[in-house]
Amino acid sequence: MRKALIVTALLVAAPALAACTENTDNGGGGESGDARALTVNSSADACELSATEAPAGTLTFDVTNTGDEVTEFYLLGEDGLRIVAEVENVGPSLDRKLTVNAPAGEYVTACKPGMKGDGIRDAFTVTESDEDVKVSTDEQELVTAAQTNYAAYVQDQSDQLLVKTREFVELYEAGDDDAARELYPVARTHWERIETVAESFGDLDPMMDAREADLETGQKWTGWHLIEKDLWPARAKGYTVLTPEERTTYAQDLLTNTETLDGRIQDLDFTVDQIANGSRGLLEEVATGKVTGEEEYWSRTDLWDFQANVDGAKVGYDGVRPLVEQKDAALAEQLDARFAELQELLDAERSGDGFVFYDEMSADQVKGLSDAVNALSEPLSRLTAAVLS
Amino acid sequence: MAGAFAAGRASEASPSSAGPAREKTYPFRGEHQAGIDTPVQDRLHFAAFDVRTESREELVALLQAWTEAAERMTGGGPAGPVGPVEGASNLPPDDTGEAIGLPASGLTITFGFGPSLFRDASGRDRFGIADRRPEALARLPHFPADNLDPARSDGDLCIQACADDPQVAVHAIRNLARIGFGTVAVRWSQLGFGRTSTTSVGEDTPRNLFGFKDGTANVKSSEAAALDEHVWVGAGDSPGDWLAGGSYLVARRINMTIEVWDRQPLGDQENFVGRTKDSGAPLSGGSEFTEPDFDLPGSNGPAIPTDAHVRVVHPDLHDGARMLRRGYNFVDGTDALGGLNAGLFFIAYVRDPRTHFIPIQNAMARSDALMEYLKFTGSALFAVPPGTAPGEYVGQSLFDA
């Protein structure tokens, strides 16, 4: 998934409840006969809809951009402010589909060629129909609760990350390597739990979390993994340990960046789709970096990170779970079971307060974890759509 | 249903790249599963799976989902009911999309059940079907010269996808694996190119990576009596007859020590095989399809040497047992020493591996001159259930007690 997602999306008002996902059944072919299937022609100076009203239910707007600039299409509430559903980033000559579950009422449609201004607006009516569109009054409460709780969780983890990082760099600078090695995976747990949020700051992430293998030629290496290598040089060939002065430089650099990160995180809000996407993204981090043993190449503490990613994904999922339960109970049940199964396998690798080192696991154990990650990730890839349905 | 999807994809195919052969479709449903006596396609992607669930219902639900997806894809359509680009933009598509614009390319998808599906390594009856395991469905014994990699062997389930376009075969396995995540996990998979045998008299006999024609004596689809005798499992052969009309699939990953083979003089190569390299005629004379004469004296002993491959595995030495071979060449890049990691992914369909494969493999291991140039690195046996009737799912006869 794209890492910049959260920050860019924050600039846009939170899409509210009703947007997206049901797959429209176009199999029959008779699109013209379906009053809920609408077309939108967004040109440089017009926003033509195939109809100005539709019966309540699952509406599909097939938006075609016939202009020369990128356009957007919005279905707004009667006040013209509340975004009911939106489709962004429709390039010239492209078409994108917007599916929305709309109850009866008055709406406003808007095309925004060039993505500027209020757009080209028109009134739109959704009429009463047999199709019962459930808009639960407490759904908004569930959304608000999920948003509030997740923002609090991210802030709390960021705070703890700062505290632990401060402790860690003190030990490292003081040359207390054993204690630093012990604290390293513990401090990083707080980073990994909110990794998708932290990574969304494209300037900080490479300075804080780049692995040596990630660097471009000439790029300066800083951050956690540089210190990791200095603390666990066993796998490094011909490595020269850092001088005390160098240690201080890199340690203070990491601490400063962590402070900057913490400051930025305090201002973040999250929409439910961002929370759901974050949950999916954390499992992707597991699949691409942790279960393969690439993240903590020097320390082999990959399983701490693995658990922390899963922690963060689970918190995100738990937050939106009441919504999922209402909309797709089978998905919620499957995700519950698959999270539990993965956790059981992780628990089997616990050792003391932490985990076994990555190289202590057999190929079969790694395969088992990987299979469980795949088993969870596949339904998790449908979470965002379910939350927004 | 499949027709609509077929139209959807085939119509996008560019006429220049899509000749009549590429447009070819084989029906998924029928008396026998497709992909056995179907004319051998050019490409293979074969995958073996471990079942992760302990729930019989989940397993059956997967077989149902696989059946639907396989029927759609073999008809030239997408894996899922929606399609690669037709769905909502905030959902992963239910088809991965690399086959957009490609015709069905003769795709067949063939499913099989391994012995471990019935009882696991500890002997547990996993899905209440242990009493339906035919005696013939047992893990193949260790053969001399087996150097098997467990990560390339065995499996609870298998899927053989064959097509004339490699992308279509890979698309099929990729999407079926995706549908299976959680219920099953891929254990191993193998790509193959250049079919090494024919199942119809119209096709030229192809060559394996030794450069020789292979599978000249294969059972052909036109030989109905031979198919019944040697390939299809008959009535009374399996508990409750669930496997009647099915077959057994033997898969063997056979690495060839290519570089060493290439240094053998032509005459030696022909003596090892027992046929000429050029036409494929037996060394006893005639042309490719002339029956070999094992008694014909030559300059130094029999014209066809006693350790020649064609003699050692010939049906005459094995109570007439014949196989339907459907193997493919493979090259998985090179090994650490720069040698080709290549050989034959041997697939044979037989009525009973105890009479139609195990004795022949043992004879080969004992006295075949080719063994010097072969390493057996993978091995598996699967029972391939009969064809799927409309409204059924693949393997239903096993689970409908």
Side-chain angles (χ1 to χ4, degrees):
Chain A
M1 67 182 286
R2 279 211 325 267
K3 287 177 177 172
L5 197 67
I6 287 177
V7 168
T8 51
L10 279 174
L11 303 174
V12 182
L17 302 182
C20 281
T21 82
E22 234 125 287
N23 291 311
T24 48
D25 181 16
N26 290 339
E31 285 186 41
S32 56
D34 185 352
R36 292 188 179 90
L38 300 115
T39 59
V40 180
N41 180 357
S42 173
S43 60
D45 48 15
C47 185
E48 294 166 18
L49 273 75
S50 57
T52 55
E53 63 171 51
T58 303
L59 308 184
T60 307
F61 295 90
D62 199 344
V63 183
T64 304
N65 182 2
T66 55
D68 298 329
E69 293 182 287
V70 175
T71 192
E72 296 170 347
F73 175 76
Y74 292 85
L75 183 67
L76 303 164
E78 191 178 8
D79 59 5
L81 296 173
R82 182 174 65 91
I83 298 170
V84 177
E86 63 182 326
V87 55
E88 299 176 297
N89 207 29
V90 187
S93 334
L94 295 186
D95 63 298
R96 297 276 300 270
K97 216 169 268 174
L98 175 66
T99 307
V100 54
N101 204 10
E106 295 300 322
Y107 294 83
V108 173
T109 56
C111 294
K112 222 184 260 192
M115 300 173 292
K116 291 187 293 279
D118 285 343
I120 304 160
R121 297 185 167 218
D122 225 328
F124 188 80
T125 306
V126 176
T127 57
E128 298 281 353
S129 80
D130 300 340
E131 200 167 309
D132 182 28
V133 181
K134 276 180 289 181
V135 178
S136 155
T137 44
D138 55 23
E139 191 167 316
Q140 187 58 53
E141 287 169 29
L142 295 178
V143 169
T144 308
Q147 291 170 331
T148 310
N149 292 340
Y150 193 70
Y153 174 75
V154 172
Q155 282 166 18
D156 177 52
Q157 290 303 317
S158 177
D159 291 346
Q160 294 191 55
L161 174 65
L162 185 55
V163 170
K164 291 286 197 315
T165 305
R166 204 169 271 140
E167 270 178 58
F168 172 75
V169 299
E170 272 170 28
L171 293 168
Y172 176 63
E173 283 184 62
D176 192 349
D177 287 6
D178 284 340
R181 278 191 281 261
E182 205 161 307
L183 189 57
Y184 173 85
V186 177
R188 280 186 54 77
T189 290
H190 302 292
W191 167 276
E192 296 289 347
R193 281 180 181 156
I194 55 172
E195 188 175 15
T196 46
V197 178
E199 281 186 347
S200 67
F201 298 105
D203 54 341
L204 290 176
D205 177 52
M207 294 193 286
M208 298 175 72
D209 198 35
R211 291 168 295 187
E212 196 169 17
D214 297 335
L215 302 177
E216 292 170 35
T217 312
Q219 188 184 345
K220 186 158 171 49
W221 190 24
T222 58
W224 281 107
H225 295 297
L226 174 130
I227 298 175
E228 178 202 0
K229 185 179 182 180
D230 196 46
L231 286 170
W232 281 275
R235 296 180 82 192
K237 289 199 182 71
Y239 179 76
T240 312
V241 293
L242 299 181
T243 63
E245 292 72 32
E246 286 171 321
R247 281 196 172 205
T248 300
T249 305
Y250 290 118
Q252 289 305 313
D253 175 72
L254 177 62
L255 185 58
T256 306
N257 284 330
T258 308
E259 284 164 349
T260 308
L261 174 71
D262 187 53
R264 291 193 199 169
I265 277 178
Q266 303 308 315
D267 299 329
L268 289 186
D269 294 317
F270 302 92
T271 60
V272 283
D273 54 327
Q274 288 164 354
I275 298 169
N277 278 332
S279 184
R280 172 168 61 92
L282 285 168
L283 251 290
E284 285 172 24
E285 298 287 344
V286 173
T288 54
K290 276 70 175 195
V291 78
T292 56
E294 289 165 71
E295 180 74 19
E296 306 288 359
Y297 180 83
W298 311 105
S299 66
R300 320 295 354 220
T301 55
D302 303 86
L303 285 185
W304 277 260
D305 299 19
F306 192 144
Q307 177 69 64
N309 280 161
V310 172
D311 288 344
K314 183 74 167 33
V315 166
Y317 165 62
D318 283 344
V320 298
R321 193 185 176 287
L323 289 164
V324 183
E325 210 174 10
Q326 282 191 357
K327 295 168 180 204
D328 189 345
L331 180 63
E333 194 183 324
Q334 192 176 37
L335 285 170
D336 290 347
R338 302 260 166 102
F339 264 115
E341 181 201 37
L342 178 58
Q343 190 56 59
E344 202 173 301
L345 289 179
L346 272 173
D347 287 344
E349 306 302 334
R350 284 191 192 277
S351 170
D353 292 338
F355 292 88
V356 301
F357 294 105
Y358 186 82
D359 51 350
E360 293 174 325
M361 287 194 295
S362 69
D364 281 350
Q365 284 169 311
V366 173
K367 175 76 160 62
L369 284 168
S370 174
D371 288 346
V373 168
N374 278 330
L376 172 57
S377 300
E378 199 58 39
L380 202 58
S381 71
R382 302 197 300 272
L383 179 65
T384 308
V387 165
L388 294 181
S389 66
Chain B
M1 193 159 81
F5 290 112
R9 203 161 88 191
S11 64
E12 294 171 22
S14 74
S16 57
S17 69
R22 289 289 161 107
E23 300 289 352
K24 189 181 273 295
T25 59
Y26 297 109
F28 178 73
R29 297 179 190 274
E31 184 186 357
H32 308 290
Q33 286 197 65
I36 302 173
D37 65 343
T38 312
V40 185
Q41 304 93 326
D42 290 336
R43 305 289 184 142
L44 166 81
H45 193 183
F46 189 101
F49 298 83
D50 290 328
V51 177
R52 301 178 73 254
T53 184
E54 300 192 349
S55 154
R56 178 176 168 131
E57 288 69 34
E58 273 184 42
L59 177 59
V60 167
L62 175 62
L63 292 172
Q64 288 166 335
W66 270 354
T67 300
E68 288 169 21
E71 185 168 24
R72 274 192 287 267
M73 288 192 283
T74 52
V82 178
V85 294
E86 291 78 2
S89 61
N90 65 354
L91 261 178
D94 66 5
D95 179 283
T96 53
E98 70 272 32
I100 294 173
L102 297 179
S105 308
L107 175 68
T108 57
I109 299 173
T110 315
F111 295 88
F113 301 140
S116 51
L117 186 71
F118 296 78
R119 281 190 198 280
D120 65 15
S122 61
R124 196 167 47 96
D125 180 1
R126 301 170 69 185
F127 302 106
I129 52 175
D131 59 350
R132 296 173 76 82
R133 182 184 65 82
E135 275 181 38
L137 184 63
R139 201 162 177 274
L140 291 173
H142 174 85
F143 297 105
D146 271 6
N147 185 12
L148 303 181
D149 178 355
R152 294 186 187 277
S153 299
D154 303 319
D156 297 333
L157 300 169
C158 77
I159 304 178
Q160 169 196 281
C162 298
D164 289 325
D165 184 324
Q167 184 125 329
V168 170
V170 168
H171 171 261
I173 292 295
R174 173 178 170 186
N175 281 272
L176 294 170
R178 187 174 168 220
I179 290 168
F181 274 130
T183 310
V184 295
V186 175
R187 181 179 174 86
W188 53 270
S189 88
Q190 180 69 52
L191 289 173
F193 67 95
R195 62 193 167 83
T196 61
S197 55
T198 68
T199 55
S200 61
V201 286
E203 294 173 288
D204 281 342
T205 310
R207 291 177 188 271
N208 61 28
L209 292 181
F210 281 153
F212 277 78
K213 288 190 176 180
D214 205 346
T216 296
N218 217 21
V219 179
K220 304 286 195 286
S221 58
S222 53
E223 301 177 80
L227 285 168
D228 285 336
E229 188 182 347
H230 298 292
V231 178
W232 306 130
V233 172
D237 287 354
S238 58
D241 267 344
W242 71 268
L243 193 54
S247 189
Y248 290 92
L249 186 168
V250 179
R252 305 270 293 168
R253 187 174 187 273
I254 308 174
N255 271 81
M256 297 172 169
T257 46
I258 299 277
E259 291 76 10
V260 179
W261 171 265
D262 291 346
R263 293 171 197 133
Q264 306 308 311
L266 177 61
D268 287 3
Q269 292 185 7
E270 294 184 330
N271 280 333
F272 297 152
V273 175
R275 293 183 181 276
T276 65
K277 199 166 186 176
D278 182 13
S279 69
L283 295 183
S284 52
S287 60
E288 181 188 346
F289 294 101
T290 307
E291 273 300 309
D293 180 352
F294 296 118
D295 299 325
L296 187 75
S299 314
N300 307 295
I304 299 175
T306 50
D307 61 354
H309 178 67
V310 66
R311 178 195 291 269
V312 173
V313 300
H314 196 272
D316 287 357
L317 272 75
H318 300 283
D319 298 328
R322 295 172 66 192
M323 308 178 191
L324 188 154
R325 293 171 49 182
R326 228 177 180 284
Y328 286 83
N329 297 321
F330 72 85
V331 176
D332 292 346
T334 43
D335 62 25
L337 301 176
L340 275 185
N341 179 357
L344 170 65
F345 188 70
F346 171 96
I347 295 175
Y349 286 91
V350 295
R351 178 174 176 169
D352 189 333
R354 295 168 301 179
T355 52
H356 283 64
F357 177 73
I358 292 171
I360 299 153
Q361 178 67 52
N362 272 323
M364 197 177 154
R366 211 163 35 234
S367 47
D368 194 319
L370 283 183
M371 289 300 288
E372 186 81 17
Y373 307 96
L374 304 176
K375 280 181 189 161
F376 293 79
T377 49
S379 178
L381 177 69
F382 300 96
V384 173
T388 309
E392 285 185 358
Y393 61 89
V394 66
Q396 185 163 337
S397 57
L398 172 59
F399 293 92
D400 280 355

